[in-house]
Structure formats: structure tokens, C-alpha cells
Amino acid sequence: MERAKSTNKSVPPGLYAHLGLLYATSGDTNKAFEQFEKEKTLFTESKRFIDFIERKHQGK
């Protein structure tokens, strides 16, 4: 992500979703939901899937 940012390139779809899942499995749901929101903002086609993931991790 840092390399893409430093070379002014975009990250691939799903990257923030996977990072969010890593945070969620480690118990940091705040950071997880931040990453999920980034994914939905950058890749609107993934909104329905990310909404599904968020519902699974709410309240944990």
C-alpha cells in the first residue's frame, strides 16, 4: 500500500477488505470497519459484499 501510494498508483480491489478481515480476526473491529469503509469508497462494486462482512462482525 505504501509503495503504491509513493508511486501514485492505486491499490487492487479487495486489499482493504482483506486488511479489514485481518483486523477483525485479531479483535480490532474499529480498524476493521475503517478498512471496510475504504474498500466501499474506492470500489463501490464491493459494497454489498462488504456490508455482508460488516454484519457478521458487528458486536464482536
Side-chain angles (χ1 to χ4, degrees):
M1 288 179 2
E2 292 301 318
R3 188 178 301 155
K5 199 182 296 184
S6 70
T7 59
N8 212 19
K9 294 183 180 178
S10 59
V11 297
L15 182 79
Y16 290 111
H18 280 107
L19 184 57
L21 286 172
L22 288 171
Y23 281 128
T25 56
S26 70
D28 194 341
T29 53
N30 289 333
K31 284 187 179 178
F33 277 77
E34 287 175 15
Q35 300 307 312
F36 294 151
E37 288 304 313
K38 283 182 187 178
E39 182 73 23
K40 290 193 295 188
T41 300
L42 293 172
F43 306 102
T44 55
E45 66 275 11
S46 65
K47 183 184 181 320
R48 290 181 71 199
F49 180 65
I50 299 300
D51 288 343
F52 169 75
I53 292 172
E54 286 178 329
R55 282 192 299 275
K56 288 187 70 163
H57 291 283
Q58 283 179 335
K60 289 185 178 182

